[in-house]
Amino acid sequence: MLKTLARWIWLCGLFAVLTPPVYSQADHGELRLKVTDASGAALEAAVELESTGNNFGRQFRTDSLGGLAIRQLPYGAYRLTVRQQGFTPASQIVEVRSALPALQTIQLRPASVFTQVNVSGTETVLDPESPRSVQQIGAGQIQQRLTSLPGRSVQDLVDSQPGWLYEGNAVLHPRGSEYQTQIVVDGLPLTENRSPGFAPQIEADDLQAVTIYTAGYPAEYGRKMGGVIELNTQEQTDPGTHGEFALSGGSYRSALAYGRLQHVWGGNVAGASASGSMTDHYLNPVVPQNFTNTGTTGDFSAYFQRDLTASDRLSLSVRHGLSRFLIPNELLQQQAGQRQDGGNFETAGTVRYQHVFSANSLLTAEGMVRDDTRDLNSNTSPTPIAAFQNNGFREGYAKVALSLHRGVHEFKAGVESDSTFLREDFRYNITDPDFFDDDTPQSFSFAGRRADLEQSAFVQDEIHLGQWNISAGLRWDHYQLLLNQSAFSPRLSISRYFPAHGLVVHGSFDRVFQTPSFENILLSSSAQIQTLSPQFLRLPVQPSRGNYYEGGLTKSAFNRLRLDANVYRRDVRNFADDDQLLNTGVSYPIAFDRAVIYGLEGKLAAFDLAHFSGFVSYSYMVGNVWLPVTGGLFLGDDAGNAVDQLSGHVPASQDQRNTVQTRLQYRITPRLWVAGGAGYGSGLPFEYEGTEQAAIAQYGPAVVSRLNFDRGRIRPLLTVSSSIGATLYSSETLKLNLQADGENLNNRLNVLDFNGIFSGNAIAPARSGYLRLSASF
């Protein structure tokens, strides 16, 4: 039965042509605009749409019939300005509050008749009708971001926000969570580890907006709930051909090329994008020498969308991505001549249909098929272990959702099904027996196949009652892999707007049911690995269940400043984490008995205040986890250390108490700007059972000097950066920009992680510089 189902799902992908131009995301909608003259005749016109709080600002042009559809708009208030020669400009505030298209007609008056809508005093810095706190990264921030190493541009953008931090290899950790980040690409949820070592990456150049949730989750989202990152890919709705190209390069022999083309005609949109990169710093090295760390990536996507009628829209897309890289060596491994090659390969196709029943009801149906493969191979000289892996999965995903507007209510309900067929093949050979316990088997192999079948249903309602806003939802999840479990998850967010003070106060409660990472989960939960560590009770890794609480405020000032402040607490049973096999890049899901994580965050942002724009953010977090541990693959000293810690609690591996991020830009002229920034982290905890001399032999004195053995903490991290950017050419049809970046200008050796039971080393990049040239037309 499963083979038949898998074959059927896979064949469906042949009819789908992963970057669809529009998908239904939780808090995103569409604005449909019609521009006419005083007699009602259609007008071609220039359109500007701006929302300071959402970091959104774009220019459009209506078609010959005066029509324009602007999609993937985050909920909020927008300033809409329409201009055409010979007519008086019109400006007004429009609101997007529903997945249903918002219809707006603008009538332009002749210039001889002076008529203008006065919207002074209405601000878009904060959203008074949002029941939750959300971080938005807009197109301007994306285009003028610090240049990233290949495979990290999206992660670097998210890491700049409060509540997020890197541990190693660009793995994002929201509020202490490990591998519980969900990335939603144009409405398509990707719930597996999407860091560079585990999956091909979508480049930030492909995006027009990023929306980030760490609390107040809509019931539409489930399964991975540490944090949700919504990525909206670029789309032009103006008629004609549009495109963008970018070239960047710099330190570590890094180079990246990106290109996108799109053509719009009638009710059709067709486009394609491609990117390729190479670098000598793909993963975080384990020693400052950055041994064996080359990587190359490639990505191609194509999509087609057609408005079949005024009420029906069909979208098709396909994406193929790959990455090939080496696993960084330690000093002893480099001396032995070790080489480990890794690779990730992904192909995906999507299809989506949207039907508008009326001005108050909308139906969306979407499907996706995906094939992923992850490889690891070792040469003949590895130490202390040679590891080999060929894992993969085929996934079939489907979702149907209905949106309804009635009075003060915005209802949304839907069902989804995700069938993932896992394949695991892993083996190892020990090459240095002295590194392991005498009873550790010298070789081991495992092969497993299993279907991960997950279904869910949700219903949610956003209610706007004067200055009060409420989001209430209920989600049901069913998980069937090694366990068969289900759960109901209520969600509630409430906010109150105080107009006289420019203040929104909010609070939220989220019940979460989080499925374990499926990376090597069959091996991690199998009875077969009792031969490796017989003292462990090997049970299937349980889903995480928890309660999240948050309270906070958003305050605006002068329509140019915004302060966001939040306090939170997370109580989780079966807290998910991972166990890494030495520094091979192979990881296994584990679960601690429970965890308590709490903290506070703040962010002060400026929006074009006396030519200054930027932000400063601060995060304080405390995280503790309680033993014992279920799952994992512990060998040698790691097995003994884990056995000794069967009870009590320890700091979570992401327990960095203080984190500060800042970036400030000053616009010297309309075509020239400079920026500077800094990042500070007080340091993660570590455990090391060996002597300091052993650590020096393995990692070198420079790394050990960055460790405080008395406190069991890595010494504080600090990076300073600067940028300068210029518009070399600008016209109505072409814009050419050049940007130069200097990063870690203080050249501090920043150790992100240090060897422990559950993680290896990670060294941040040294002082580096990059140039980036981009063109759009």
Side-chain angles (χ1 to χ4, degrees):
M1 177 64 181
L2 291 179
K3 289 184 178 179
T4 302
L5 178 61
R7 188 178 297 113
W8 181 85
I9 291 174
W10 184 245
L11 288 175
C12 287
L14 297 178
F15 298 97
V17 287
L18 175 151
T19 311
V22 57
Y23 272 87
S24 57
Q25 290 169 269
D27 285 343
H28 288 71
E30 177 179 338
L31 174 63
R32 294 186 180 180
L33 182 66
K34 181 75 172 179
V35 179
T36 70
D37 62 14
S39 68
L43 277 180
E44 285 191 55
V47 177
E48 297 178 8
L49 192 67
E50 180 264 344
S51 175
T52 305
N54 285 343
N55 286 295
F56 186 96
R58 290 187 62 186
Q59 298 180 346
F60 307 88
R61 191 164 189 85
T62 63
D63 59 24
S64 59
L65 300 178
L68 176 66
I70 308 174
R71 308 177 183 104
Q72 300 188 78
L73 289 174
Y75 287 1
Y78 293 81
R79 187 184 303 277
L80 173 67
T81 305
V82 182
R83 293 184 174 89
Q84 174 62 336
Q85 187 174 2
F87 293 85
T88 300
S91 182
Q92 65 185 68
I93 296 296
V94 298
E95 294 190 353
V96 178
R97 299 293 175 196
S98 170
L100 289 157
L103 308 178
Q104 190 75 37
T105 299
I106 301 294
Q107 190 176 77
L108 295 183
R109 302 285 182 178
S112 58
V113 180
F114 185 80
T115 302
Q116 186 170 359
V117 179
N118 185 0
V119 294
S120 62
T122 304
E123 60 178 311
T124 60
V125 167
L126 58 77
D127 184 358
E129 295 191 31
S130 175
R132 57 179 64 88
S133 105
V134 180
Q135 293 294 334
Q136 301 281 359
I137 301 174
Q141 289 176 282
I142 294 172
Q143 293 165 3
Q144 296 174 358
R145 69 191 186 273
L146 278 170
T147 303
S148 300
L149 289 165
R152 300 177 180 229
S153 56
V154 172
Q155 287 89 339
D156 285 349
L157 280 171
V158 177
D159 183 55
S160 68
Q161 303 304 304
W164 296 78
L165 63 84
Y166 277 152
E167 199 176 347
N169 296 326
V171 179
L172 289 167
H173 299 85
R175 292 185 173 178
S177 294
E178 175 83 50
Y179 291 172
Q180 292 293 334
T181 298
Q182 179 175 176
I183 296 180
V184 183
V185 184
D186 292 327
L188 176 68
L190 306 177
T191 58
E192 76 275 12
N193 183 354
R194 299 296 299 183
S195 62
F198 288 82
Q201 301 301 301
I202 296 174
E203 289 296 333
D205 288 317
D206 232 352
L207 306 178
Q208 67 177 1
V210 180
T211 303
I212 302 170
Y213 299 86
T214 50
Y217 301 108
E220 187 172 353
Y221 291 146
R223 298 190 290 167
K224 298 294 187 291
M225 302 304 296
V228 176
I229 304 167
E230 293 181 349
L231 306 180
N232 291 338
T233 58
Q234 293 203 50
E235 178 195 6
Q236 288 292 132
T237 54
D238 304 10
T241 301
H242 310 274
E244 181 178 355
F245 298 92
L247 295 171
S248 64
S251 299
Y252 298 106
R253 295 198 298 179
S254 298
L256 183 144
Y258 167 82
R260 178 182 63 87
L261 281 174
Q262 181 178 289
H263 185 65
V264 182
W265 74 103
N268 305 291
V269 180
S273 68
S275 66
S277 70
M278 63 181 183
T279 183
D280 286 346
H281 197 294
Y282 188 70
L283 300 178
N284 286 106
V286 291
V287 292
Q289 289 85 345
N290 191 41
F291 296 129
T292 64
N293 199 11
T294 60
T296 59
T297 71
D299 179 90
F300 170 79
S301 69
Y303 57 85
F304 175 75
Q305 173 186 291
R306 179 174 177 80
D307 287 338
L308 304 174
T309 69
S311 302
D312 299 272
R313 180 179 297 154
L314 178 68
S315 304
L316 306 168
S317 72
V318 65
R319 177 184 289 273
H320 178 71
L322 62 90
S323 58
R324 298 177 182 273
F325 50 91
L326 297 180
I327 307 297
N329 281 342
E330 299 172 357
L331 295 175
L332 298 178
Q333 293 168 333
Q334 182 71 12
Q335 294 168 6
Q338 171 175 291
R339 174 178 171 137
Q340 298 178 98
D341 295 82
N344 301 307
F345 311 89
E346 179 177 75
T347 302
T350 64
V351 57
R352 179 177 186 267
Y353 171 74
Q354 172 183 298
H355 177 71
V356 179
F357 290 105
S358 70
N360 297 315
S361 58
L362 170 72
L363 176 73
T364 58
E366 56 194 308
M368 180 269 296
V369 291
R370 195 158 52 119
D371 184 279
D372 268 49
T373 298
R374 302 171 184 175
D375 292 330
L376 175 70
N377 292 286
S378 301
N379 67 354
T380 58
S381 305
T383 182
I385 193 171
F388 304 86
Q389 177 176 273
N390 182 266
N391 288 1
F393 63 85
R394 284 185 174 178
E395 178 183 18
Y397 173 83
K399 177 181 177 181
V400 178
L402 178 66
S403 300
L404 299 171
H405 169 76
R406 187 175 181 86
V408 298
H409 299 273
E410 298 290 346
F411 296 102
K412 191 171 187 180
V415 294
E416 61 180 347
S417 173
D418 197 342
S419 301
T420 305
F421 301 90
L422 303 175
R423 181 190 76 251
E424 292 183 12
D425 289 286
F426 171 79
R427 61 187 174 92
Y428 77 70
N429 297 308
I430 289 178
T431 59
D432 184 1
D434 293 337
F435 192 87
F436 300 94
D437 296 339
D438 293 339
D439 58 353
T440 303
Q442 297 302 295
S443 62
F444 175 81
S445 64
F446 174 85
R449 308 287 187 274
R450 193 124 183 180
D452 178 0
L453 306 177
E454 303 184 29
Q455 304 85 35
S456 63
F458 66 91
V459 60
Q460 59 193 41
D461 183 16
E462 290 215 0
I463 309 168
H464 305 288
L465 298 170
Q467 309 301 341
W468 290 91
N469 303 284
I470 302 170
S471 175
L474 181 65
R475 180 181 178 89
W476 172 82
D477 287 285
H478 175 241
Y479 168 69
Q480 184 178 346
L481 179 52
L482 300 170
L483 299 166
N484 190 338
Q485 295 188 8
S486 60
F488 284 96
S489 302
R491 312 272 174 81
L492 179 65
S493 299
I494 301 176
S495 72
R496 174 68 160 85
Y497 176 47
F498 298 91
H501 304 285
L503 175 68
V504 176
V505 178
H506 64 86
S508 66
F509 166 77
D510 299 291
R511 176 67 178 173
V512 299
F513 176 81
Q514 302 184 110
T515 56
S517 167
F518 57 60
E519 178 70 22
N520 286 308
I521 192 172
L522 304 183
L523 170 58
S524 182
S525 299
S526 73
Q528 187 174 339
I529 60 172
Q530 290 183 2
T531 59
L532 303 177
S533 303
Q535 62 270 59
F536 281 102
L537 177 62
R538 295 295 177 183
L539 298 174
V541 179
Q542 298 280 332
S544 299
R545 301 170 188 257
N547 297 318
Y548 294 176
Y549 311 90
E550 182 188 83
L553 60 85
T554 300
K555 176 75 171 68
S556 67
F558 314 114
N559 202 21
R560 288 291 180 266
L561 291 171
R562 188 180 69 201
L563 172 66
D564 293 279
N566 300 297
V567 295
Y568 66 90
R569 179 184 172 100
R570 293 181 169 187
D571 298 312
V572 184
R573 303 291 307 195
N574 298 308
F575 181 74
D577 207 309
D578 77 312
D579 163 38
Q580 182 172 301
L581 179 60
L582 302 179
N583 68 322
T584 62
V586 179
S587 69
Y588 305 88
I590 62 175
F592 290 93
D593 181 66
R594 64 187 179 95
V596 175
I597 301 168
Y598 61 90
L600 60 87
E601 300 163 357
K603 180 180 179 181
L604 178 63
F607 306 94
D608 196 19
L609 179 65
H611 302 291
F612 283 95
S613 298
F615 69 91
V616 57
S617 69
Y618 170 74
S619 300
Y620 171 78
M621 189 196 77
V622 177
N624 287 296
V625 296
W626 275 257
L627 301 159
V629 172
T630 296
L633 176 63
F634 299 103
L635 299 176
D637 292 339
D638 285 349
N641 295 336
V643 169
D644 293 338
Q645 298 180 357
L646 291 177
S647 61
H649 65 86
V650 296
S653 58
Q654 300 82 34
D655 179 51
Q656 179 163 277
R657 300 296 171 86
N658 299 284
T659 306
V660 179
Q661 297 276 1
T662 183
R663 182 167 170 84
L664 188 64
Q665 181 186 100
Y666 179 73
R667 186 162 294 280
I668 302 172
T669 72
R671 292 194 175 198
L672 181 66
W673 56 269
V674 293
Y680 169 85
S682 57
L684 294 172
F686 73 88
E687 293 184 20
Y688 186 72
E689 298 299 324
T691 65
E692 188 169 337
Q693 291 304 314
I696 292 174
Q698 192 171 5
Y699 305 115
V703 172
V704 175
S705 70
R706 299 300 306 154
L707 308 175
N708 187 327
F709 282 89
D710 293 333
R711 296 183 63 238
R713 291 269 175 177
I714 298 170
R715 298 189 187 278
L717 299 76
L718 178 65
T719 61
V720 177
S721 63
S722 66
S723 304
I724 183 170
T727 300
L728 303 180
Y729 178 81
S730 180
S731 69
E732 290 187 2
T733 57
L734 176 64
K735 181 174 288 188
L736 190 64
N737 295 313
L738 180 65
Q739 180 174 329
D741 299 306
E743 303 179 28
N744 194 10
L745 297 176
N746 50 320
N747 204 30
R748 177 177 291 197
L749 176 60
N750 289 310
V751 178
L752 302 177
D753 291 316
F754 184 67
N755 180 65
I757 300 176
F758 307 118
S759 62
N761 280 17
I763 309 296
R767 181 188 293 129
S768 50
Y770 304 92
L771 281 174
R772 183 171 182 269
L773 179 68
S774 64
S776 61
F777 59 90

